[in-house]
Amino acid sequence: MKVGKTLQEFAHRRFNPLTGEWVLVSPHRTKRPWLGQQEPAKEPARNSYEPDCYLCPGNLRASGQRNPSYTSTFVFENDFPALTGSSFQGNEPFSNLFRSEPVTGECRVVCFSPRHDLTLAEMKPEEIKRVIDVLAEQTSELGQRYRWVQVFENKGSLMGCSNPHPHGQIWASTSLPNQPAKEEKSQKNYYRLHGKKLLLRYGEEEMAAGERVVMANSDWIVIVPFWAVWPFETLLIPRKAVSRLPDLTNRQRENLADILKRLLTRYDNLFQTSFPYSMGWHGAPFGKKDTRFHWQLHAHFYPPLLRSATVKKFMVGYEMLAEPQRDITPEQAASQLRAQSEKHYRHR
Ligand code: H2U
Ligand code: ZN
């Protein structure tokens, strides 16, 4: 669906069919003056190896364990896991207003490569493909024991990432967390009503409209979703029905590496900075009930930056107390991302 002129000019709300939540869009406000904080852009030159980094090959971690001299993607058990193999047993005191439940799980850290200075955007497609293969293997292994496997990356100090060595994380849990629980419900309902996956249909409609599409290849599409909350938020979806990372064919993985590299390069070029974000994969939950028919694999990218390498969007005030709000429209954000080169600014 292409938006009419009114949605580019007047305040309105947009609905997110995945979560059932609304976002307030205020395009008329994009010209308001900005007197907020201008943090200085700091882009320290990085070495390919850092003796003090707990993720570099051969180095000591906080736990006292030493990393092997790894030469490609390396996974280890998080030394400070948020989920562990044990929780309480039996019943805690329970009432409608005081509910708790046990949860067990596992947390792992994934070093994308031995190089301390190499983000996914600057890795070779075949190296990114290796990361994808590892994430798929991990998902299928942990999915045998856990209901939900959350693969994510927290990138940049702005997002609270503690170490610049490019890495992702995997948290697996016996319970279905809030966000996937909402998406599970919506995708299941949509499939029941329409006999088709919600995000498959959505991707097709976005391809036809074009105005929110950032890029596509034969297997993947990247969209600034109609209901995006973060200024340059994107949604990455396979163009055919796929439920989980391990279900991707070799060809789809190669094309994923291609589109990831191109997307992340555009992100870096937008404000000429190593673009911070939180991103993560959502695939069909595991367990007894088969969720694969209605669930379409996808990744969300949530970058905090608004108008420069230092000016970010704050989710405060109205967002915390009422609902998310944005000024620039998703259509404007998509067009800005489309205007970026796919050659990385650091290599020009
Ligand atoms: P960030 O991606 O948010 O920076 O977190 C890095 C993770 O690495 C964090 O979950 C783990 C932390 O617990 N970590 C280790 O497992 N071992 C260490 O020696 C330090 C950090
Ligand atoms: Zn390192």
Side-chain angles (χ1 to χ4, degrees):
M1 193 211 69
K2 265 188 148 60
V3 302
K5 208 161 177 279
T6 46
L7 291 201
Q8 295 297 345
E9 284 174 16
F10 298 101
H12 60 279
R13 295 168 83 213
R14 296 189 185 190
F15 181 70
N16 180 341
L18 268 182
T19 60
E21 285 163 3
W22 293 83
V23 53
L24 173 62
V25 186
S26 318
H28 58 284
R29 254 183 22 142
T30 44
K31 284 173 195 76
R32 96 195 144 111
W34 175 259
L35 298 173
Q37 172 189 14
Q38 290 260 359
E39 301 157 64
K42 38 181 188 302
E43 194 124 300
R46 282 203 232 141
N47 300 320
S48 59
Y49 168 79
E50 271 297 336
D52 294 337
C53 171
Y54 57 73
L55 298 180
C56 274
N59 290 1
L60 219 50
R61 298 206 304 272
S63 60
Q65 273 172 288
R66 192 173 286 284
N67 295 326
S69 302
Y70 64 94
T71 53
S72 74
T73 309
F74 166 60
V75 182
F76 66 90
E77 296 288 334
N78 196 313
D79 300 310
F80 309 97
L83 292 145
T84 65
S86 66
S87 184
F88 67 82
Q89 287 184 344
N91 292 322
E92 275 291 294
F94 180 94
S95 89
N96 280 343
L97 298 180
F98 299 85
R99 290 173 63 178
S100 61
E101 64 176 22
V103 58
T104 57
E106 280 175 59
C107 300
R108 296 178 182 171
V109 178
V110 185
C111 300
F112 296 148
S113 93
R115 289 271 302 268
H116 185 83
D117 58 338
L118 215 55
T119 63
L120 284 172
E122 293 173 274
M123 283 167 66
K124 296 195 192 97
E126 57 270 28
E127 296 167 335
I128 304 174
K129 162 75 164 46
R130 173 76 196 135
V131 175
I132 296 162
D133 287 337
V134 168
L135 296 176
E137 276 164 33
Q138 292 281 321
T139 302
S140 91
E141 184 220 314
L142 290 162
Q144 288 166 20
R145 276 171 287 143
Y146 297 103
R147 180 100 200 276
W148 186 248
V149 182
Q150 184 60 61
V151 172
F152 66 99
E153 180 189 0
N154 233 357
K155 178 170 175 264
S157 53
L158 218 52
M159 294 310 293
C161 179
S162 63
N163 186 320
H165 192 124
H167 65 281
Q169 297 195 48
I170 304 171
W171 293 20
S173 64
T174 47
S175 57
L176 195 60
N178 291 340
Q179 299 306 325
K182 288 182 224 165
E183 295 192 356
E184 162 63 12
K185 201 173 152 195
S186 307
Q187 292 183 97
K188 195 165 150 187
N189 284 344
Y190 187 93
Y191 190 82
R192 267 195 196 143
L193 278 171
H194 305 280
K196 181 156 183 152
K197 293 188 184 203
L198 189 162
L199 281 182
L200 205 51
R201 185 71 221 247
Y202 176 66
E204 287 167 7
E205 293 204 15
E206 285 293 21
M207 275 305 272
E211 61 186 348
R212 280 168 301 275
V213 177
V214 176
M215 56 194 358
N217 62 25
S218 55
D219 286 318
W220 296 88
I221 169 173
V222 179
I223 304 155
V224 177
F226 179 70
W227 54 82
V229 163
W230 294 93
F232 295 96
E233 175 178 334
T234 53
L235 186 61
L236 171 59
I237 323 175
R239 294 175 67 176
K240 296 211 179 72
V242 181
S243 309
R244 298 180 183 128
L245 279 173
D247 300 336
L248 291 170
T249 63
N250 200 54
R251 187 68 226 238
Q252 286 170 321
R253 295 176 191 207
E254 282 166 4
N255 279 327
L256 174 56
D258 162 78
I259 208 154
L260 273 174
K261 186 171 172 67
R262 290 163 55 206
L263 170 65
L264 298 177
T265 300
R266 283 171 186 262
Y267 268 155
D268 282 2
N269 287 342
L270 184 63
F271 298 129
Q272 309 250 314
T273 191
S274 186
F275 208 64
Y277 56 76
S278 277
M279 70 78 61
W281 286 95
H282 283 164
F286 293 90
K288 279 182 227 98
K289 285 187 211 134
D290 202 345
T291 54
R292 286 174 301 173
F293 291 105
H294 56 263
W295 193 292
Q296 176 72 345
L297 173 74
H298 60 278
H300 297 279
F301 285 83
Y302 299 130
L305 293 183
L306 177 60
R307 69 182 84 207
S308 75
T310 56
V311 178
K312 70 167 184 177
K313 173 174 178 59
F314 288 95
M315 284 284 208
V316 294
Y318 194 80
E319 281 88 354
M320 285 179 137
L321 291 150
E323 70 186 12
Q325 183 273 340
R326 64 179 297 136
D327 291 346
I328 72 159
T329 62
E331 294 74 32
Q332 288 166 335
S335 118
Q336 283 190 48
L337 286 171
R338 273 197 304 270
Q340 301 309 313
S341 156
E342 290 187 356
K343 183 147 180 59
H344 200 280
Y345 72 92
R346 275 208 274 237
H347 306 168
R348 269 178 221 155

PDB file of all heavy atoms in Angstrom, residues 233-258:
ATOM      1  N   GLU A 233      14.616   2.231  11.662  1.00  0.00           N
ATOM      2  CA  GLU A 233      14.284   0.824  11.913  1.00  0.00           C
ATOM      3  C   GLU A 233      14.049   0.090  10.590  1.00  0.00           C
ATOM      4  O   GLU A 233      13.466   0.646   9.666  1.00  0.00           O
ATOM      5  CB  GLU A 233      12.997   0.800  12.762  1.00  0.00           C
ATOM      6  CG  GLU A 233      12.433  -0.585  13.011  1.00  0.00           C
ATOM      7  CD  GLU A 233      11.179  -0.537  13.910  1.00  0.00           C
ATOM      8  OE1 GLU A 233      11.021   0.410  14.711  1.00  0.00           O
ATOM      9  OE2 GLU A 233      10.376  -1.468  13.786  1.00  0.00           O
ATOM     10  N   THR A 234      14.517  -1.159  10.507  1.00  0.00           N
ATOM     11  CA  THR A 234      14.206  -1.969   9.318  1.00  0.00           C
ATOM     12  C   THR A 234      13.776  -3.377   9.703  1.00  0.00           C
ATOM     13  O   THR A 234      14.034  -3.842  10.814  1.00  0.00           O
ATOM     14  CB  THR A 234      15.405  -2.082   8.338  1.00  0.00           C
ATOM     15  OG1 THR A 234      16.553  -2.536   9.049  1.00  0.00           O
ATOM     16  CG2 THR A 234      15.704  -0.768   7.643  1.00  0.00           C
ATOM     17  N   LEU A 235      13.132  -4.007   8.736  1.00  0.00           N
ATOM     18  CA  LEU A 235      12.658  -5.374   8.882  1.00  0.00           C
ATOM     19  C   LEU A 235      13.221  -6.144   7.689  1.00  0.00           C
ATOM     20  O   LEU A 235      13.105  -5.692   6.550  1.00  0.00           O
ATOM     21  CB  LEU A 235      11.125  -5.343   8.844  1.00  0.00           C
ATOM     22  CG  LEU A 235      10.330  -6.602   9.105  1.00  0.00           C
ATOM     23  CD1 LEU A 235      10.599  -7.133  10.505  1.00  0.00           C
ATOM     24  CD2 LEU A 235       8.831  -6.293   8.964  1.00  0.00           C
ATOM     25  N   LEU A 236      13.867  -7.274   7.977  1.00  0.00           N
ATOM     26  CA  LEU A 236      14.495  -8.100   6.936  1.00  0.00           C
ATOM     27  C   LEU A 236      13.704  -9.406   6.864  1.00  0.00           C
ATOM     28  O   LEU A 236      13.589 -10.121   7.858  1.00  0.00           O
ATOM     29  CB  LEU A 236      15.959  -8.334   7.350  1.00  0.00           C
ATOM     30  CG  LEU A 236      16.825  -9.327   6.595  1.00  0.00           C
ATOM     31  CD1 LEU A 236      16.939  -8.961   5.123  1.00  0.00           C
ATOM     32  CD2 LEU A 236      18.220  -9.367   7.220  1.00  0.00           C
ATOM     33  N   ILE A 237      13.139  -9.691   5.682  1.00  0.00           N
ATOM     34  CA  ILE A 237      12.249 -10.866   5.551  1.00  0.00           C
ATOM     35  C   ILE A 237      12.635 -11.708   4.330  1.00  0.00           C
ATOM     36  O   ILE A 237      12.918 -11.153   3.267  1.00  0.00           O
ATOM     37  CB  ILE A 237      10.768 -10.439   5.345  1.00  0.00           C
ATOM     38  CG1 ILE A 237      10.411  -9.192   6.161  1.00  0.00           C
ATOM     39  CG2 ILE A 237       9.808 -11.563   5.668  1.00  0.00           C
ATOM     40  CD1 ILE A 237       8.992  -8.689   5.873  1.00  0.00           C
ATOM     41  N   PRO A 238      12.611 -13.035   4.469  1.00  0.00           N
ATOM     42  CA  PRO A 238      12.802 -13.875   3.278  1.00  0.00           C
ATOM     43  C   PRO A 238      11.572 -13.728   2.367  1.00  0.00           C
ATOM     44  O   PRO A 238      10.458 -13.555   2.856  1.00  0.00           O
ATOM     45  CB  PRO A 238      12.865 -15.309   3.823  1.00  0.00           C
ATOM     46  CG  PRO A 238      12.868 -15.221   5.307  1.00  0.00           C
ATOM     47  CD  PRO A 238      12.388 -13.852   5.688  1.00  0.00           C
ATOM     48  N   ARG A 239      11.787 -13.815   1.055  1.00  0.00           N
ATOM     49  CA  ARG A 239      10.668 -13.618   0.121  1.00  0.00           C
ATOM     50  C   ARG A 239       9.843 -14.872  -0.098  1.00  0.00           C
ATOM     51  O   ARG A 239       8.792 -14.834  -0.702  1.00  0.00           O
ATOM     52  CB  ARG A 239      11.197 -13.046  -1.195  1.00  0.00           C
ATOM     53  CG  ARG A 239      11.753 -11.646  -0.972  1.00  0.00           C
ATOM     54  CD  ARG A 239      12.390 -11.074  -2.192  1.00  0.00           C
ATOM     55  NE  ARG A 239      11.416 -10.821  -3.246  1.00  0.00           N
ATOM     56  CZ  ARG A 239      11.713 -10.241  -4.398  1.00  0.00           C
ATOM     57  NH1 ARG A 239      12.973  -9.845  -4.627  1.00  0.00           N
ATOM     58  NH2 ARG A 239      10.807 -10.028  -5.311  1.00  0.00           N
ATOM     59  N   LYS A 240      10.381 -16.014   0.371  1.00  0.00           N
ATOM     60  CA  LYS A 240       9.582 -17.254   0.339  1.00  0.00           C
ATOM     61  C   LYS A 240       9.319 -17.683   1.777  1.00  0.00           C
ATOM     62  O   LYS A 240       9.965 -17.200   2.698  1.00  0.00           O
ATOM     63  CB  LYS A 240      10.354 -18.355  -0.380  1.00  0.00           C
ATOM     64  CG  LYS A 240      10.617 -18.040  -1.839  1.00  0.00           C
ATOM     65  CD  LYS A 240      10.656 -19.325  -2.683  1.00  0.00           C
ATOM     66  CE  LYS A 240      10.884 -18.995  -4.150  1.00  0.00           C
ATOM     67  NZ  LYS A 240      12.273 -18.546  -4.401  1.00  0.00           N
ATOM     68  N   ALA A 241       8.383 -18.615   1.957  1.00  0.00           N
ATOM     69  CA  ALA A 241       8.042 -19.076   3.306  1.00  0.00           C
ATOM     70  C   ALA A 241       9.243 -19.780   3.954  1.00  0.00           C
ATOM     71  O   ALA A 241       9.771 -20.749   3.416  1.00  0.00           O
ATOM     72  CB  ALA A 241       6.855 -20.021   3.244  1.00  0.00           C
ATOM     73  N   VAL A 242       9.712 -19.250   5.072  1.00  0.00           N
ATOM     74  CA  VAL A 242      10.792 -19.853   5.860  1.00  0.00           C
ATOM     75  C   VAL A 242      10.437 -19.614   7.326  1.00  0.00           C
ATOM     76  O   VAL A 242      10.073 -18.506   7.691  1.00  0.00           O
ATOM     77  CB  VAL A 242      12.168 -19.179   5.595  1.00  0.00           C
ATOM     78  CG1 VAL A 242      13.261 -19.853   6.413  1.00  0.00           C
ATOM     79  CG2 VAL A 242      12.535 -19.191   4.126  1.00  0.00           C
ATOM     80  N   SER A 243      10.553 -20.641   8.168  1.00  0.00           N
ATOM     81  CA  SER A 243      10.141 -20.473   9.563  1.00  0.00           C
ATOM     82  C   SER A 243      11.276 -20.127  10.506  1.00  0.00           C
ATOM     83  O   SER A 243      11.077 -19.401  11.476  1.00  0.00           O
ATOM     84  CB  SER A 243       9.471 -21.745  10.072  1.00  0.00           C
ATOM     85  OG  SER A 243       8.467 -22.135   9.190  1.00  0.00           O
ATOM     86  N   ARG A 244      12.449 -20.700  10.235  1.00  0.00           N
ATOM     87  CA  ARG A 244      13.557 -20.515  11.180  1.00  0.00           C
ATOM     88  C   ARG A 244      14.891 -20.427  10.446  1.00  0.00           C
ATOM     89  O   ARG A 244      15.018 -20.935   9.330  1.00  0.00           O
ATOM     90  CB  ARG A 244      13.643 -21.710  12.141  1.00  0.00           C
ATOM     91  CG  ARG A 244      12.430 -21.900  13.012  1.00  0.00           C
ATOM     92  CD  ARG A 244      12.607 -23.110  13.927  1.00  0.00           C
ATOM     93  NE  ARG A 244      11.398 -23.327  14.704  1.00  0.00           N
ATOM     94  CZ  ARG A 244      10.741 -24.497  14.783  1.00  0.00           C
ATOM     95  NH1 ARG A 244      11.206 -25.564  14.170  1.00  0.00           N
ATOM     96  NH2 ARG A 244       9.647 -24.569  15.503  1.00  0.00           N
ATOM     97  N   LEU A 245      15.896 -19.877  11.119  1.00  0.00           N
ATOM     98  CA  LEU A 245      17.243 -19.779  10.526  1.00  0.00           C
ATOM     99  C   LEU A 245      17.751 -21.129   9.983  1.00  0.00           C
ATOM    100  O   LEU A 245      18.274 -21.183   8.864  1.00  0.00           O
ATOM    101  CB  LEU A 245      18.233 -19.220  11.549  1.00  0.00           C
ATOM    102  CG  LEU A 245      18.259 -17.694  11.735  1.00  0.00           C
ATOM    103  CD1 LEU A 245      19.178 -17.323  12.903  1.00  0.00           C
ATOM    104  CD2 LEU A 245      18.734 -16.996  10.461  1.00  0.00           C
ATOM    105  N   PRO A 246      17.617 -22.231  10.757  1.00  0.00           N
ATOM    106  CA  PRO A 246      18.151 -23.499  10.244  1.00  0.00           C
ATOM    107  C   PRO A 246      17.449 -23.988   8.979  1.00  0.00           C
ATOM    108  O   PRO A 246      17.989 -24.838   8.266  1.00  0.00           O
ATOM    109  CB  PRO A 246      17.936 -24.496  11.391  1.00  0.00           C
ATOM    110  CG  PRO A 246      17.483 -23.716  12.573  1.00  0.00           C
ATOM    111  CD  PRO A 246      17.124 -22.335  12.137  1.00  0.00           C
ATOM    112  N   ASP A 247      16.249 -23.472   8.693  1.00  0.00           N
ATOM    113  CA  ASP A 247      15.526 -23.910   7.490  1.00  0.00           C
ATOM    114  C   ASP A 247      16.011 -23.220   6.218  1.00  0.00           C
ATOM    115  O   ASP A 247      15.580 -23.578   5.118  1.00  0.00           O
ATOM    116  CB  ASP A 247      14.018 -23.635   7.647  1.00  0.00           C
ATOM    117  CG  ASP A 247      13.426 -24.377   8.836  1.00  0.00           C
ATOM    118  OD1 ASP A 247      14.019 -25.404   9.236  1.00  0.00           O
ATOM    119  OD2 ASP A 247      12.389 -23.922   9.368  1.00  0.00           O
ATOM    120  N   LEU A 248      16.872 -22.222   6.340  1.00  0.00           N
ATOM    121  CA  LEU A 248      17.358 -21.503   5.151  1.00  0.00           C
ATOM    122  C   LEU A 248      18.232 -22.409   4.294  1.00  0.00           C
ATOM    123  O   LEU A 248      19.094 -23.117   4.818  1.00  0.00           O
ATOM    124  CB  LEU A 248      18.177 -20.278   5.570  1.00  0.00           C
ATOM    125  CG  LEU A 248      17.429 -19.120   6.233  1.00  0.00           C
ATOM    126  CD1 LEU A 248      18.434 -18.116   6.792  1.00  0.00           C
ATOM    127  CD2 LEU A 248      16.498 -18.442   5.227  1.00  0.00           C
ATOM    128  N   THR A 249      18.026 -22.354   2.975  1.00  0.00           N
ATOM    129  CA  THR A 249      18.879 -23.114   2.065  1.00  0.00           C
ATOM    130  C   THR A 249      20.231 -22.414   1.957  1.00  0.00           C
ATOM    131  O   THR A 249      20.378 -21.255   2.370  1.00  0.00           O
ATOM    132  CB  THR A 249      18.269 -23.163   0.648  1.00  0.00           C
ATOM    133  OG1 THR A 249      18.215 -21.806   0.148  1.00  0.00           O
ATOM    134  CG2 THR A 249      16.870 -23.756   0.650  1.00  0.00           C
ATOM    135  N   ASN A 250      21.190 -23.135   1.384  1.00  0.00           N
ATOM    136  CA  ASN A 250      22.518 -22.554   1.222  1.00  0.00           C
ATOM    137  C   ASN A 250      22.462 -21.270   0.400  1.00  0.00           C
ATOM    138  O   ASN A 250      23.093 -20.272   0.716  1.00  0.00           O
ATOM    139  CB  ASN A 250      23.438 -23.584   0.563  1.00  0.00           C
ATOM    140  CG  ASN A 250      24.888 -23.240   0.815  1.00  0.00           C
ATOM    141  OD1 ASN A 250      25.298 -23.060   1.958  1.00  0.00           O
ATOM    142  ND2 ASN A 250      25.649 -23.106  -0.256  1.00  0.00           N
ATOM    143  N   ARG A 251      21.645 -21.315  -0.658  1.00  0.00           N
ATOM    144  CA  ARG A 251      21.473 -20.156  -1.537  1.00  0.00           C
ATOM    145  C   ARG A 251      20.897 -18.952  -0.767  1.00  0.00           C
ATOM    146  O   ARG A 251      21.357 -17.826  -0.879  1.00  0.00           O
ATOM    147  CB  ARG A 251      20.518 -20.583  -2.672  1.00  0.00           C
ATOM    148  CG  ARG A 251      20.311 -19.585  -3.798  1.00  0.00           C
ATOM    149  CD  ARG A 251      21.553 -19.450  -4.572  1.00  0.00           C
ATOM    150  NE  ARG A 251      21.804 -18.026  -4.779  1.00  0.00           N
ATOM    151  CZ  ARG A 251      21.932 -17.474  -5.957  1.00  0.00           C
ATOM    152  NH1 ARG A 251      21.879 -18.198  -7.034  1.00  0.00           N
ATOM    153  NH2 ARG A 251      22.158 -16.176  -6.067  1.00  0.00           N
ATOM    154  N   GLN A 252      19.884 -19.242   0.063  1.00  0.00           N
ATOM    155  CA  GLN A 252      19.265 -18.165   0.863  1.00  0.00           C
ATOM    156  C   GLN A 252      20.260 -17.583   1.856  1.00  0.00           C
ATOM    157  O   GLN A 252      20.221 -16.394   2.153  1.00  0.00           O
ATOM    158  CB  GLN A 252      18.020 -18.699   1.600  1.00  0.00           C
ATOM    159  CG  GLN A 252      16.831 -18.910   0.687  1.00  0.00           C
ATOM    160  CD  GLN A 252      15.692 -19.653   1.372  1.00  0.00           C
ATOM    161  OE1 GLN A 252      15.918 -20.587   2.143  1.00  0.00           O
ATOM    162  NE2 GLN A 252      14.459 -19.258   1.091  1.00  0.00           N
ATOM    163  N   ARG A 253      21.146 -18.423   2.379  1.00  0.00           N
ATOM    164  CA  ARG A 253      22.166 -17.935   3.321  1.00  0.00           C
ATOM    165  C   ARG A 253      23.186 -17.048   2.603  1.00  0.00           C
ATOM    166  O   ARG A 253      23.623 -16.039   3.132  1.00  0.00           O
ATOM    167  CB  ARG A 253      22.869 -19.107   4.005  1.00  0.00           C
ATOM    168  CG  ARG A 253      21.931 -19.901   4.888  1.00  0.00           C
ATOM    169  CD  ARG A 253      22.604 -21.121   5.476  1.00  0.00           C
ATOM    170  NE  ARG A 253      21.605 -21.988   6.103  1.00  0.00           N
ATOM    171  CZ  ARG A 253      21.834 -22.823   7.099  1.00  0.00           C
ATOM    172  NH1 ARG A 253      23.062 -22.919   7.589  1.00  0.00           N
ATOM    173  NH2 ARG A 253      20.874 -23.576   7.593  1.00  0.00           N
ATOM    174  N   GLU A 254      23.574 -17.451   1.394  1.00  0.00           N
ATOM    175  CA  GLU A 254      24.504 -16.617   0.610  1.00  0.00           C
ATOM    176  C   GLU A 254      23.873 -15.261   0.304  1.00  0.00           C
ATOM    177  O   GLU A 254      24.521 -14.218   0.428  1.00  0.00           O
ATOM    178  CB  GLU A 254      24.886 -17.327  -0.698  1.00  0.00           C
ATOM    179  CG  GLU A 254      25.917 -18.415  -0.494  1.00  0.00           C
ATOM    180  CD  GLU A 254      26.056 -19.338  -1.710  1.00  0.00           C
ATOM    181  OE1 GLU A 254      25.396 -19.079  -2.756  1.00  0.00           O
ATOM    182  OE2 GLU A 254      26.807 -20.318  -1.593  1.00  0.00           O
ATOM    183  N   ASN A 255      22.605 -15.314  -0.079  1.00  0.00           N
ATOM    184  CA  ASN A 255      21.925 -14.051  -0.387  1.00  0.00           C
ATOM    185  C   ASN A 255      21.667 -13.214   0.854  1.00  0.00           C
ATOM    186  O   ASN A 255      21.577 -11.993   0.779  1.00  0.00           O
ATOM    187  CB  ASN A 255      20.619 -14.320  -1.135  1.00  0.00           C
ATOM    188  CG  ASN A 255      20.869 -14.560  -2.607  1.00  0.00           C
ATOM    189  OD1 ASN A 255      21.796 -13.976  -3.179  1.00  0.00           O
ATOM    190  ND2 ASN A 255      20.078 -15.415  -3.226  1.00  0.00           N
ATOM    191  N   LEU A 256      21.568 -13.889   2.018  1.00  0.00           N
ATOM    192  CA  LEU A 256      21.415 -13.160   3.275  1.00  0.00           C
ATOM    193  C   LEU A 256      22.717 -12.427   3.600  1.00  0.00           C
ATOM    194  O   LEU A 256      22.706 -11.253   4.000  1.00  0.00           O
ATOM    195  CB  LEU A 256      21.034 -14.123   4.402  1.00  0.00           C
ATOM    196  CG  LEU A 256      20.972 -13.537   5.810  1.00  0.00           C
ATOM    197  CD1 LEU A 256      20.013 -12.337   5.872  1.00  0.00           C
ATOM    198  CD2 LEU A 256      20.530 -14.608   6.818  1.00  0.00           C
ATOM    199  N   ALA A 257      23.840 -13.117   3.404  1.00  0.00           N
ATOM    200  CA  ALA A 257      25.139 -12.479   3.646  1.00  0.00           C
ATOM    201  C   ALA A 257      25.277 -11.246   2.754  1.00  0.00           C
ATOM    202  O   ALA A 257      25.717 -10.176   3.193  1.00  0.00           O
ATOM    203  CB  ALA A 257      26.269 -13.471   3.381  1.00  0.00           C
ATOM    204  N   ASP A 258      24.851 -11.387   1.502  1.00  0.00           N
ATOM    205  CA  ASP A 258      24.924 -10.283   0.547  1.00  0.00           C
ATOM    206  C   ASP A 258      24.086  -9.089   1.014  1.00  0.00           C
ATOM    207  O   ASP A 258      24.575  -7.957   1.083  1.00  0.00           O
ATOM    208  CB  ASP A 258      24.427 -10.784  -0.833  1.00  0.00           C
ATOM    209  CG  ASP A 258      24.057  -9.642  -1.775  1.00  0.00           C
ATOM    210  OD1 ASP A 258      24.983  -9.039  -2.337  1.00  0.00           O
ATOM    211  OD2 ASP A 258      22.846  -9.346  -1.941  1.00  0.00           O
TER     212      ASP A 258
END
